[in-house]
Amino acid sequence: MADFTFEREVRTPHSEAYNIVEFDRTVGRVDIHYTAEMVHVSLAVDESLTQQAIQEIMDAVDEDIADAVGIIRNNFVVHVFQGRETAVYSDNEFSDNGHDR
C-alpha cells in the first residue's frame, strides 16, 4: 500500500485542490468540485503510478476528503488523467517583456 499525503493548495465554498505527495515527491493533483448532490473529481497523476495506486488515491479522496465536507451525495465521479507534468505557468510568464500588466 502506497503512502500518499494530500497538501491543500486552495479551497473555495464549492471546490478544493490538492497536490498528491508520495514520500517527498509530488505524484499528482486532485481538483474536487462539490454540487448539491454530486462530487466531481479531476485526478491527474504521474505516469509511474499503477492502477492500484490510483485506486488508493481515489478511495482516499472519497473517504477522507469528500466525506469530510458532509455533502449527502448520490454520485462520485472521477476523471483520471495519467502522464507527466511538463510545466507550471503563472501570470509572470505571460506578461509583456517581463513586466507585469
Side-chain angles (χ1 to χ4, degrees), residues 80-91:
V80 178
F81 303 89
Q82 189 169 18
R84 62 184 173 83
E85 183 174 18
T86 58
V88 176
Y89 298 100
S90 71
D91 283 343

Side-chain angles (χ1 to χ4, degrees), residues 32-41 55 57-78:
I32 309 167
H33 304 276
Y34 304 102
T35 67
E37 297 180 353
M38 294 185 73
V39 176
H40 294 270
V41 177
Q55 184 63 54
I57 291 170
M58 289 189 300
D59 291 344
V61 168
D62 186 17
E63 297 167 8
D64 300 335
I65 298 174
D67 281 353
V69 173
I71 293 175
I72 305 301
R73 61 172 166 77
N74 294 324
N75 207 353
F76 182 78
V77 178
V78 181

Side-chain angles (χ1 to χ4, degrees), residues 4-96:
F4 298 107
T5 58
F6 297 86
E7 296 176 352
R8 183 184 291 139
E9 277 193 359
V10 66
R11 179 184 218 171
T12 73
H14 302 286
S15 65
E16 296 179 276
Y18 294 85
N19 284 322
I20 305 165
V21 179
E22 182 181 36
F23 306 108
D24 290 333
R25 185 177 143 231
T26 300
V27 295
R29 178 185 169 88
V30 61
D31 292 286
I32 309 167
H33 304 276
Y34 304 102
T35 67
E37 297 180 353
M38 294 185 73
V39 176
H40 294 270
V41 177
S42 294
L43 176 61
V45 296
D46 190 81
E47 60 193 349
S48 66
L49 295 185
T50 65
Q51 290 301 307
Q52 180 180 346
I54 294 169
Q55 184 63 54
E56 289 175 16
I57 291 170
M58 289 189 300
D59 291 344
V61 168
D62 186 17
E63 297 167 8
D64 300 335
I65 298 174
D67 281 353
V69 173
I71 293 175
I72 305 301
R73 61 172 166 77
N74 294 324
N75 207 353
F76 182 78
V77 178
V78 181
H79 294 263
V80 178
F81 303 89
Q82 189 169 18
R84 62 184 173 83
E85 183 174 18
T86 58
V88 176
Y89 298 100
S90 71
D91 283 343
N92 292 335
E93 283 83 18
F94 296 115
S95 63
D96 298 330

